[in-house]
Amino acid sequence: MEYFSLNYNAKDVSFLEAVRKGLAPDRGLYFPKNIPKLEESFIKNLKKFSNHEIAYEVIKPYVGSDIDDNNLKKIIQETLNFDFPIVKITDKIAVIELFHGPSLAFKDVGARFMARCLSHDNFIKKGKNLTVLVATSGDTGGAVADGFFKVKGIDVIILYPKGKVSDIQERQLTTLGENITALEVNGSFDDCQDMVKTAFVDQELKDKIYLTSANSINIGRWLAQMFYYFIAYKNRPNPEKKLLISVPSGNFGNICAGILAQQMGLPINHFIASTNINDTIPEYLKSGDYFPKKSIQTISNAMDVGNPSNFIRIQRIFNNDFFKLKKLLSGYSFSDKMTEKAIKEIYKIKGYVSEPHGAIGFLGLKEFFNSKEEIDEYQGIFLETAHPVKFKSTVEGIIKTDIKTPKSIQKILDLKKNSFSISKYSELKSLLLSN
Ligand SMILES: *Cc1c(COP(=O)(O)O)cnc(C)c1O
């Protein structure tokens, strides 16, 4: 498979080259030249295949000959080495838990897959070092740190805003060491992201070191997220009904992967983009006008995005046809107050403990059901994208019950934090050059 830039001003590249570059030289996102179709019999018989076998069939055409079959199978085994259970909340609504990975965030799958693919890149095998640079407002950093830990030939530098990530999240970034360096930035998440963006266009830096990104603009992270949708389809309750999936969305990488899976032939009837008050896409779906906004802080902070970078990929999937897109995708936005109420409501129904992002996914399904008459035709699934312990104080305050800390997290809470403090870009640059 070859990938082209959505700015249409860069040469096509292979899978591994796209992963290594992150963004195309013209600053465009990479997109596959065609969307492969899966055999109908494969989809019909999905239940007969293991998650590993499914993931292999799905991702193989995107990887092409860049990684040989045996290695690709190994990468998939190491990527999907935990469960994705589905829990029924009501007759019509179920949740798929994507947070059983090592950093307790759904981003683990994409980060693990990307890291392992890169370790097969000839560029790195030949002894060149690649630096992965990421800014995090919380969850991305932990997943990337864990996913790339001890991967040979790759150094990871994570920038996070001082005092603005939770204790658990900070320890996930700062306690690993080895090839993972954490930089505590005196500033906001936007300041961190600005520094990263400056580094990517700094010619002097680019002449000396090889830099790539590890957020969902990178196809290595983005494409692997398709796996969730196949697993959700395979294990869905009420298989006789039309499947509706609600995705708590920020940068729209995850939902875009779901739509790609659907385009490959997975029978998902409808998608719901559920957002917090950062409602650029729900507003777009109402009016057809795309107005990016400055992001607003909420309790579902991993979705505080005012200009979702992956939306351009969704538009491309539908050849920029607004009406085609609207047929498959609905969007609703919810305030913090509504989110808190939903966490309480979900807890009351089944004693199920959700967290702000998943709760917004739940609200999206309810809103869709409220707007339709033939709701009995549908089975809704929302994605639970993080473990509630990551939002411990918020969730415990709402449900008035303690959340148990998983053993894996308990361990890191005792480890010593290790990070460098920086305030401006020049400090980041000298650190990158001295590495
Ligand atoms: C990153 C993240 C999201 C949003 O995913 P996108 O792909 O950016 O839309 C939702 N929930 C949690 C917990 C996240 O960490």
Side-chain angles (χ1 to χ4, degrees):
M1 176 75 77
E2 293 215 295
Y3 294 81
F4 66 93
S5 162
L6 288 173
N7 278 352
Y8 306 99
N9 205 6
K11 73 174 184 38
D12 297 348
V13 294
S14 73
F15 173 75
L16 280 177
E17 198 175 346
V19 177
R20 188 198 324 138
K21 287 207 156 89
L23 212 54
D26 65 356
R27 314 296 303 149
L29 271 67
Y30 281 117
F31 195 83
K33 281 193 105 170
N34 61 71
I35 300 178
K37 293 268 185 256
L38 292 161
E39 299 274 345
E40 249 173 71
S41 60
F42 172 70
I43 304 277
K44 269 215 180 94
N45 293 311
L46 216 53
K47 268 223 169 290
K48 293 187 188 148
F49 297 99
S50 70
N51 289 350
H52 293 161
E53 288 166 333
I54 293 169
Y56 172 79
E57 286 300 320
V58 170
I59 208 73
K60 171 79 197 150
Y62 292 96
V63 173
S65 55
D66 273 14
I67 299 172
D68 67 61
D69 280 359
N70 282 336
N71 281 320
L72 184 58
K73 282 178 185 165
K74 210 171 124 212
I75 290 171
I76 288 168
Q77 272 168 18
E78 289 173 8
T79 299
L80 301 179
N81 64 345
F82 43 89
D83 289 334
F84 304 87
I86 293 183
V87 181
K88 268 177 97 163
I89 306 286
T90 69
D91 278 351
K92 289 196 291 288
I93 296 182
V95 53
I96 180 162
E97 297 180 341
L98 308 181
F99 58 72
H100 294 277
S103 84
L104 307 183
F106 85 95
K107 294 182 170 79
D108 279 326
V109 166
R112 291 164 78 75
F113 184 74
M114 177 186 163
R116 281 158 185 78
C117 285
L118 271 180
S119 67
H120 287 277
D121 189 7
N122 273 329
F123 175 86
I124 287 171
K125 283 201 252 170
K126 281 181 194 145
K128 296 220 173 92
N129 255 48
L130 188 68
T131 300
V132 170
L133 189 61
V134 281
T136 184
S137 58
D139 272 356
T140 301
V144 169
D146 187 89
F148 284 84
F149 185 50
K150 291 188 179 171
V151 174
K152 278 202 189 81
I154 303 180
D155 294 316
V156 176
I157 304 214
I158 302 170
L159 284 75
Y160 70 97
K162 184 184 170 87
K164 293 191 179 68
V165 303
S166 74
D167 186 37
I168 289 179
Q169 287 172 329
E170 185 172 29
R171 298 220 186 226
Q172 287 179 325
L173 311 176
T174 57
T175 55
L176 286 173
E178 303 241 4
N179 62 332
I180 313 293
T181 304
L183 301 181
E184 184 173 17
V185 175
N186 275 312
S188 65
F189 170 65
D190 288 331
D191 296 327
C192 297
Q193 201 155 32
D194 284 346
M195 285 192 200
V196 169
K197 282 185 182 157
T198 308
F200 280 116
V201 294
D202 185 330
Q203 197 55 47
E204 191 195 340
L205 202 57
K206 289 205 301 193
D207 288 343
K208 296 199 170 114
I209 61 171
Y210 298 97
L211 273 183
T212 192
S213 65
N215 50 24
S216 57
I217 58 169
N218 193 304
I219 60 158
R221 261 198 58 195
W222 171 52
L223 292 170
Q225 304 180 103
M226 283 193 291
F227 303 155
Y228 310 134
Y229 298 86
F230 286 88
I231 297 170
Y233 181 82
K234 172 174 123 174
N235 297 328
R236 71 202 186 282
N238 302 321
E240 70 288 355
K241 296 198 175 169
K242 291 178 184 164
L243 183 58
L244 179 65
I245 296 196
S246 171
V247 186
S249 296
N251 243 331
F252 280 67
N254 192 0
I255 194 167
C256 182
I259 293 172
L260 191 66
Q262 194 260 2
Q263 297 290 307
M264 291 178 79
L266 190 68
I268 295 172
N269 185 270
H270 200 78
F271 284 93
I272 297 166
S274 302
T275 73
N276 57 32
I277 48 166
N278 292 285
D279 60 356
T280 304
I281 303 307
E283 283 302 310
Y284 166 79
L285 289 166
K286 269 185 221 154
S287 66
D289 295 321
Y290 187 88
F291 287 121
K293 301 172 189 171
K294 232 182 129 65
S295 66
I296 304 165
Q297 203 175 338
T298 72
I299 57 167
S300 48
N301 58 12
M303 311 199 296
D304 294 349
V305 182
N307 187 11
S309 39
N310 281 285
F311 197 63
I312 187 170
R313 283 185 170 138
I314 298 184
Q315 288 180 305
R316 169 71 207 191
I317 291 175
F318 295 101
N319 288 320
N320 298 308
D321 183 333
F322 178 66
F323 295 98
K324 260 197 201 157
L325 190 155
K326 260 191 84 139
K327 247 186 162 163
L328 187 75
L329 179 68
S330 300
Y332 307 109
S333 80
F334 304 96
S335 67
D336 280 355
K337 260 221 170 81
M338 295 159 100
T339 310
E340 287 168 1
K341 255 181 84 182
I343 291 174
K344 205 181 240 168
E345 181 184 343
I346 298 167
Y347 187 65
K348 269 197 179 147
I349 302 172
K350 268 272 167 95
Y352 186 82
V353 181
S354 59
E355 54 69 57
H357 306 80
I360 285 179
F362 170 81
L363 285 171
L365 284 179
K366 283 213 351 180
E367 190 78 21
F368 180 88
F369 285 141
N370 284 339
S371 72
K372 284 269 180 304
E373 280 176 7
E374 296 91 23
I375 58 170
D376 283 338
E377 294 175 11
Y378 291 98
Q379 167 68 55
I381 295 182
F382 67 95
L383 311 186
E384 184 57 270
T385 44
H387 191 296
V389 79
K390 292 190 112 174
F391 303 89
K392 194 171 161 72
S393 60
T394 305
V395 177
E396 286 181 345
I398 297 166
I399 63 168
K400 314 281 183 223
T401 305
D402 288 349
I403 303 172
K404 257 189 31 206
T405 306
K407 274 204 200 92
S408 57
I409 295 296
Q410 199 62 55
K411 253 193 293 181
I412 64 164
L413 291 177
D414 302 332
L415 297 176
K416 213 175 140 263
K417 168 182 153 183
N418 212 330
S419 67
F420 297 95
S421 179
I422 65 166
S423 302
K424 45 186 197 289
Y425 176 68
S426 58
E427 292 170 274
L428 170 64
K429 184 167 174 173
S430 42
L431 204 131
L432 285 167
L433 289 173
S434 70
N435 242 359

